[in-house]
Amino acid sequence: MRIEVLRIGQRLVRDDRVTTHVALISRAFGASKILMYDANPEIKDTLSKVNRTWGGDFEVEIIDNWRRMLRSKKSESYRIVHLTMYGESINDVEEKIRKEDKILAVIGAEKVPREVYDMADYNVAIGSQPHSEIAALAVLLDRLFEGRQFQKKFKRAQREIIPTGKGKRVMDKSTA
Ligand code: SAM
């Protein structure tokens, strides 16, 4: 299953830290790409550096028209999964969504316009309490990949962690 993430709307005061975390979660939890509206372009450099060090080919694209992007992804047969606390419970829909081939997960940074709810194939709640797009995205990706995302090998990594119960073990492949 290919999953891309679309984040729409930044707050008036740019929340670059949250933006970065949304991108890092997308990458680390198995998504292939993030499309960001009104985000600081430096995010692309940050994620390129992360890819260089820790591997993989996660993509970041800054977009200027999220409505057009939604329409275009729909025409490419992506199913739109909009994360909102008002949606159907993830517990009730995860099995069905797992059968889809291509997913565009949509998260908001502020109030999400009504048309997103209408365009979505699934409006999905990660619990019916307000929390955060970072947490909601992490849970969605984990439910859809069922934990397998953590076995994924990130190709061409310069550094690879060797999991250990104590301390830190890191293999530096750039000198190996
Ligand atoms: N009050 C805002 C609204 O009406 O959309 C909520 C903004 S919230 C800080 C930012 C984003 O987090 C939401 O757009 C949604 O994608 C996600 N989110 C927050 N709580 C959620 C929940 N319980 N289930 C699913 N997504 C959630």
Side-chain angles (χ1 to χ4, degrees):
M1 178 193 278
R2 180 181 171 87
I3 305 187
E4 297 187 7
V5 176
L6 171 65
R7 183 171 188 246
I8 56 178
Q10 271 222 341
R11 294 173 199 285
L12 224 51
V13 177
R14 277 209 157 134
D15 50 1
D16 288 345
R17 211 173 124 80
V18 174
T19 305
T20 306
H21 285 187
V22 166
L24 288 173
I25 284 288
S26 302
R27 175 183 173 276
F29 281 56
S32 304
K33 179 171 182 170
I34 187 160
L35 304 140
M36 287 183 158
Y37 173 72
D38 193 24
N40 190 334
E42 281 175 21
I43 186 84
K44 280 179 83 99
D45 295 338
T46 306
L47 267 290
S48 298
K49 279 184 203 145
V50 174
N51 280 350
R52 223 173 301 133
T53 307
W54 298 106
D57 43 19
F58 181 76
E59 293 173 73
V60 178
E61 187 180 338
I62 310 283
I63 56 165
D64 54 18
N65 188 329
W66 60 259
R67 286 181 177 85
R68 199 187 308 141
M69 184 54 70
L70 264 180
R71 279 195 292 270
S72 131
K73 290 291 173 187
K74 268 183 102 76
S75 72
E76 290 170 35
S77 309
Y78 277 77
R79 308 293 269 162
I80 311 296
V81 177
H82 170 223
L83 287 172
T84 164
M85 65 182 189
Y86 302 104
E88 296 178 276
S89 169
I90 182 71
N91 293 348
D92 296 334
V93 290
E94 64 181 305
E95 215 176 299
K96 194 168 170 211
I97 301 177
R98 272 201 295 269
K99 294 188 181 124
E100 306 286 2
D101 281 340
K102 295 193 287 185
I103 298 284
L104 181 69
V106 182
I107 49 174
E110 55 198 353
K111 198 169 161 50
V112 170
R114 172 71 208 222
E115 61 195 288
V116 177
Y117 290 76
D118 295 337
M119 283 180 89
D121 298 288
Y122 303 90
N123 286 292
V124 178
I126 310 295
S128 297
Q129 299 295 324
H131 48 84
S132 128
E133 63 263 43
I134 302 174
L137 180 64
V139 171
L140 175 79
L141 293 173
D142 192 53
R143 291 290 185 95
L144 297 185
F145 288 125
E146 298 177 286
R148 286 188 296 274
Q149 73 277 21
F150 300 134
Q151 282 146 12
K152 173 180 161 178
K153 281 271 173 204
F154 284 79
K155 290 181 190 138
R156 296 176 297 280
Q158 285 173 357
R159 309 186 82 203
E160 199 175 305
I161 290 170
I162 302 155
T164 179
K166 281 200 176 134
K168 297 180 187 175
R169 292 184 66 200
V170 180
M171 190 165 35
D172 190 341
K173 294 173 146 188
S174 60
T175 56

